[in-house]
Amino acid sequence: MKKYLKHDEWNIIEEGFHVKYNRISESIFSLGNGRMGQRANFEEFYSGDSLQGNYVAGIYYPDKTRVGWWKNGYPEYFAKVLNAANWIGIHIELDGEMLDLAKCEVDDFYRILNMKEGFLERRFEARLVSGKIVKVVAQRFCSIVDDEVGAIRYSITPVNFSGPISVTSLIDADIMNEDANYDEKFWLGIDTATKHDEAYVIAETKKTAFQVCTGMKFEMQLAGETIEYKCTHHNRDKYAACVADFNCEEGKTIEIHKIAANVSSMNYPKEELMSQCEKLVQTAFAKGFEGLKAEQAAAWAKKWEESDIIINGDIAAQQGIRFNIFQLNQTYTGEDERLNIGPKGFTGEKYGGSTYWDTEAYCLPFYLSTADQRVARNLLIYRYKHLDRAIENAEKLGFKDGAALYPMVTMNGEECHNEWEITFEEIHRNGAIAYAIHDYIRYTGDQAYLEEYGLEVLIGIARFWNQRVHFSSRRGQYVMHGVTGPNEYENNVNNNWYTNYIAAWCLQYTMDCIEQVKATAPNRWKEIEEKVKFYEYTEMGAWKKVATNMYLPYDEEAGVFEQADGFFDKEWEKTVDDLSKADRPINQNWSWDRILRSVYIKQADVLQGLYFFEEEFDEATLRKNFEFYEPRTVHESSLSPCVHAIQAAKLGNIEKAYEMYLRTARLDLDDYNNDTEDGCHITSMAGTWMAFVKGFGGLRVKEGQLILNTSLPAQWNGYSFKIRFRGSLLKVNVDQSGTSISNQSADIVHVLLNGKKIELHPSSEELLA
């Protein structure tokens, strides 16, 4: 772990320039607004180690797959959200000497992410090689009001000199992804334009032919008055800049205001990109930096009013949860159903920025409880719109008759992951998508979604499961071979318990949903039946056989579900306590062969299933499996601690729940797994919210009933959170005296709170001691 960031309830603070951690800081201090995002790179030129990152949502490149041995069914490419045009660049030359923190003595370096108001600030004093000293204060943000706009205020003060200064305000699309498989650049230059104080670049992605216009307008002020300056323009392929030359005076601060915009062909006709970008830039510029910043603060205040979690008595835990909520709110807004949530969001290149099963398994609950219902609905509609591609994906692997295999990784519905044990074997992702439909309907009561979209998806997934299993005459049951469960430290196994269980559940749930739609919307059912060519008697008969006779591995000696066939042939007596510090994390210190042969588990596998379906098992079963599998889990997936926190809380092990909560909440802030430099773990941040609200808050919904079973860690004096539920907004407060819940909406709400049924009238509050 790296504990170089200061604990603070509302801010992420770096005091001093930690050069060796710069990439980590670039990830942690990232900004976004759901439409675009930006790593915390410096505005001024920097020749030191850095991962440059500017991202525009939905814009990707199909990078040709790089594998040593091609197998039938392999995706031809890995989709990557691209490093887009650098719009933040403000290069400073002082009498011909470039300001570059890699070549300066840096003092009083201070970087702060203001989560309450949604902006990044950086301050420093730099002594150049020549001896010149400058002070810089920079603020910037990606507007969540105008989600194609970014704004910068960059103030520079010459401390011990006067003389010529050159300011280059640039747009640079001549960039590349660090993770490019073949070291190629993915952008083609289309057009550039410059005016006195404006610059624009249009670039187009190779192959996918997306176009993005990035533009900017800037001004410079001294004591609040605009400076007159000599301006020259530089235009070349994929690059446009305005260079201002003037004289600075010792002790007098120059303020540079730069307003920028990204517009893409996803939202505008290509022939209008330049004009639309100009219009957007000029409109935002007219508001001014302070006007835009005030709008930003007001918009964030509204977000925090609905989604904040308050923890009393534990600053580290408080900072962690707010950081997670902040990143989630600036990654996905639900405004555009074509977009989804990449594991790294707008904070880095790793995982390609594509959609994984993380969205359904971990992110959906956060948006269900903290945002308008349409936000979660749009996440599910995203998958419905990719159903035809899921059927094509299944066909490539030999499945037929409308079977659907959703991709492990995708930008457009087509599978684009290039590791065989993932692409071909980690098929449990289908189950997560089906479970998300169940979870959404259970929480919202939105049965119309099932009729309009969900049932078609469920039928496609059920057809896949029915074809993927086979009957074992030796066992007299259906089995599933050659899979990888959520624990990716065990590949190509037979009968992964979680995969088998969720497949059987999905078949039964789909049959139940068919009967429901037949009863409530018979005309719609006829449309679906005809559209998907459903043969009720033969298909449901086959599904029933599989659902009721699926093999689920169980070890009698240990008294737990067996993760997969052969798990107990490993050295299962070992636990994580047997590992030395030098071994951890094992994925960075052991060979893959050694990992696969070991008993160690990357993330919740059996426990993932018990978390999803806990109401199907008694407490003794949940406890026995938790106490067996958790000590063997190394939690080297960011998605692991949250599931364990929820289950530990349910079992009354609040100390373990707190340990797991703090780990997931501060996973990136403290760089637990030595991988934050690649970007933050955005989807696991939704898991942090789940660990809190489903763990300590005990949030569940059963048969339309909202249930809360609260617990209070010993480290906290109290906490509070808000949740939306079926049009109502509730606030829950827990402290040493008990739990209170208030209804901040206009309707009566029924809650089962710590075992007691409560009827909450509008604007009322109930306290349970």
Side-chain angles (χ1 to χ4, degrees), residues 95-109:
D95 198 10
E97 187 176 11
M98 183 71 76
L99 175 59
D100 177 359
L101 295 195
K103 298 179 179 179
C104 297
E105 294 180 19
V106 181
D107 293 317
D108 298 327
F109 185 95

Side-chain angles (χ1 to χ4, degrees), residues 700-717:
R700 303 290 191 275
V701 176
K702 186 174 182 180
E703 296 177 354
Q705 173 72 68
L706 178 66
I707 302 169
L708 292 164
N709 285 299
T710 61
S711 55
L712 181 65
Q715 294 83 352
W716 299 349
N717 298 324

Side-chain angles (χ1 to χ4, degrees), residues 441-474:
I441 295 171
R442 175 176 60 181
Y443 195 91
T444 65
D446 182 9
Q447 297 294 337
Y449 176 80
L450 181 66
E451 299 162 8
E452 294 174 42
Y453 305 108
L455 187 55
E456 290 180 52
V457 172
L458 290 171
I459 289 171
I461 291 173
R463 284 170 164 171
F464 171 82
W465 290 128
N466 186 60
Q467 294 178 40
R468 185 60 171 78
V469 301
H470 67 272
F471 186 77
S472 166
S473 56
R474 177 177 170 272

Side-chain angles (χ1 to χ4, degrees), residues 428-446:
H428 65 83
R429 68 226 191 210
N430 253 14
I433 291 166
Y435 182 84
I437 295 171
H438 161 71
D439 199 23
Y440 169 81
I441 295 171
R442 175 176 60 181
Y443 195 91
T444 65
D446 182 9

